[in-house]
């Protein structure tokens, strides 16, 4: 199981962004939805490693969050409210989010298997580096590519040449993201065994 604990960075000097985040993520198919746990922090429970990767990248793109991914068992049955959950994955997520606050990629993972978790952690940092360096134009092109549009169709939508689309996707690290997503998904799966 995976627990995501997400903390708003710089919340003392910023407005509370938790309510907007909860609204934006309310339809994500999680085991337990995002729930405010304390002040400027939210937590959710997931069982799908691909969904965890999607969420991490979405949160990174929002640029205001430290993200901890806890890997391991949870006490069942899970309570209705996420914040009432217990178990090693919740404890690991707490440790991970604290480390994420000073991590270069703003995301870290913790779990029962130190070696497997270190691999997840490293892959998340690499993937985060790709996404955090991307320009808005790069995000725009990648968003359309993720929808399955061809480069010709992306060029039409953005009113630019196919060569410009190819250049944007290359500069945005689109191929690296695809490989990184799959790597993190597999590593999460292994770490959760």
């Amino acid at each position: 199981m995976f627990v995501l604990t997400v903390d708003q960075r710089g919340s003392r000097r910023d407005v509370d962004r938790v309510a907007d985040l909860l609204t934006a993520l309310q339809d994500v198919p999680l085991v337990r939805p995002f729930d405010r746990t304390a002040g400027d922090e939210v937590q959710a429970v997931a069982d799908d490693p691909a969904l965890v990767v999607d969420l991490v990248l979405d949160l990174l793109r929002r640029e205001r969050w430290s993200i901890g991914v806890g890997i391991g068992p949870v006490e069942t049955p899970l309570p209705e409210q996420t914040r009432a959950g217990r178990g090693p994955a919740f404890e690991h997520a707490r440790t991970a989010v604290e480390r994420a606050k000073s991590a270069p990629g703003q995301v870290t993972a913790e779990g029962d298997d130190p070696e497997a978790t270190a691999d997840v952690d490293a892959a998340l940092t690499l993937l985060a580096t790709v996404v955090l360096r991307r320009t808005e134009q790069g995000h725009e092109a990648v968003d359309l590519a993720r929808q399955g549009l061809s480069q010709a169709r992306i060029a039409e939508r953005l009113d630019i040449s196919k060569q410009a689309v190819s250049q944007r996707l290359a500069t945005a690290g689109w191929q690296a993201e695809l490989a990184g997503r799959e790597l993190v998904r597999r590593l999460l799966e292994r770490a959760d065994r």
Side-chain angles (χ1 to χ4, degrees):
M1 198 69 70
F2 309 100
V3 174
L4 286 92
T5 299
V6 182
D7 189 48
Q8 183 180 338
R9 290 185 293 117
S11 59
R12 292 186 181 139
R13 300 174 306 281
D14 197 3
V15 298
D16 183 342
R17 298 182 184 277
V18 170
D20 290 341
L21 184 67
L22 291 174
T23 299
L25 300 176
Q26 68 186 356
D27 294 328
V28 176
L30 293 155
V31 174
R32 287 294 178 270
F34 277 99
D35 187 15
R36 186 187 294 258
T37 53
D40 55 0
E41 184 181 276
V42 296
Q43 199 167 52
V45 181
D47 59 0
D48 177 359
L51 180 60
V52 171
V53 175
D54 289 344
L55 284 167
V56 165
L57 294 184
D58 179 17
L59 290 161
L60 285 171
R61 186 170 173 186
R62 293 171 190 272
E63 299 181 344
R64 302 195 185 276
W65 305 95
S66 296
I67 308 152
V69 179
I71 306 164
V74 297
E75 288 183 13
T76 56
L78 277 167
E80 287 303 310
Q81 289 193 310
T82 307
R83 67 177 168 255
R86 296 169 47 113
F90 284 92
E91 295 162 18
H92 294 316
R94 163 70 38 227
T95 303
V97 78
E98 290 304 320
R99 276 195 321 111
K101 292 175 184 179
S102 60
Q106 301 155 8
V107 57
T108 64
E110 289 285 335
D112 291 333
D113 180 338
E115 187 174 309
T117 304
D119 290 346
V120 171
D121 209 35
L124 281 171
T125 298
L126 293 170
L127 189 54
T129 300
V130 170
V131 172
L132 291 171
R133 290 185 177 173
R134 191 173 287 158
T135 65
E136 197 49 48
Q137 291 85 5
H139 280 301
E140 191 175 41
V142 166
D143 288 346
L144 294 171
R146 280 198 48 79
Q147 293 173 25
L149 272 65
S150 68
Q151 289 191 17
R153 294 277 310 177
I154 294 170
E156 287 174 22
R157 289 282 276 288
L158 299 179
D159 197 26
I160 59 176
S161 70
K162 276 180 51 178
Q163 293 81 4
V165 169
S166 180
Q167 185 177 8
R168 279 190 192 182
L169 289 173
T171 302
W174 170 232
Q175 293 301 318
E177 178 184 324
L178 286 175
R181 279 176 174 272
E182 182 57 22
L183 175 62
V184 173
R185 184 199 63 74
R186 285 194 319 266
L187 292 172
L188 283 167
E189 207 168 69
R190 282 186 204 143
D192 191 37
R193 288 188 185 141

